[in-house]
Amino acid sequence: MNFKTTKLNPFGLLIEPVNEKKDIRDLSTEELKDILSKEHLIALRGFKSFDSAEDFSNYCEKFGEICLWPFGKVLELVEQENPEDHIFDNTYIPMHWDGMYRKQVPETQVFHCVSAPGIDNKGGTTFSNTKMIIENASESALESWSKVRCTYSRKMEFYDSKTVAPILNKHPEREYSVIRYCEPPLDTDESFVNHPGFEVEGIPEQEVGDFLQNLNKTLYSPEYLYTHRWETGDVVFSDNSTLLHGREPFTKGAPRHLRRVQLVGKNTLGNPHLIYTK
């Protein structure tokens, strides 16, 4: 195949065409799957890609079954005038894993940038590699994390759910461990739309603040954090089991428009942490 690869920092792989502009469909599906299993994140840039949401979802179906939502296969991530949830505004999205509030946990996310926000407007998508974090963690940190589980509850247009998850979990299909955590927004942040419920168990209440502060510091450490700066046409595949992800805030009114598809994978992953969903 006629493309070049560049290692991203601190993880992931950027794939670009060489010389002429190639169609993204010219890339081998099986090779991309293999690369993703090793790198956990792939960014495709400079390829001819998709003219519509349907075109995008048809491409994604080559990689596996698509998770269905009430809105269909493709989520349009674009700022709304009066959003009822933070995913449709221009503020930050805390670190989380997809599917935490649903019966089905996707294996992979695929993002397509229809329109980039502009380099000065921020709005990058953040990814934290929890496998790397655990591999480099001290024994005391691992012991501390192993004691804690968190309860999350959230009601929005697409679900009304409650989930309870320990911080440390085994990867559902591999031998290594991962972190499952949904970072809570600041209670004092009145600009954050639709605060989720959040409780911590396993440590004394007076230690919760320091515990979360240290965990967040680790997740956002440059050693483990990759922020994708979007360019129009970019396509990003990310490993939902190994990585947590979120979003930087961006300038209100910036032309940021992403499309997202979630892939089930070979084995449908039931949600072991879900207490209920409506």
Side-chain angles (χ1 to χ4, degrees), residues 11-35:
F11 64 91
L13 195 72
L14 174 67
I15 302 178
E16 301 171 283
V18 175
N19 300 323
E20 58 185 304
K21 193 167 186 178
K22 292 285 188 181
D23 194 296
I24 197 170
R25 299 161 190 82
D26 293 337
L27 295 169
S28 165
T29 301
E30 292 307 314
E31 284 189 40
L32 288 176
K33 285 182 178 180
D34 185 58
I35 293 170

Side-chain angles (χ1 to χ4, degrees), residues 97 99 102-106 172 264 267-274:
W97 75 99
R102 303 191 76 214
K103 294 179 180 179
Q104 193 178 61
V105 180
V264 175
N267 302 312
T268 301
L269 301 178
N271 189 344
H273 309 305
L274 187 66

Side-chain angles (χ1 to χ4, degrees), residues 32 56 87 89 218 252 277:
L32 288 176
F56 175 45
I87 65 171
D89 68 9
T218 302
K252 188 171 181 61
T277 187

Side-chain angles (χ1 to χ4, degrees), residues 53-54 56-57 66-67 71-76 259-261:
E54 183 180 10
F56 175 45
S57 65
I66 293 177
C67 297
F71 52 77
K73 298 176 181 178
V74 180
L75 176 64
E76 303 280 357
R259 289 180 173 138
R260 186 211 67 192
V261 162

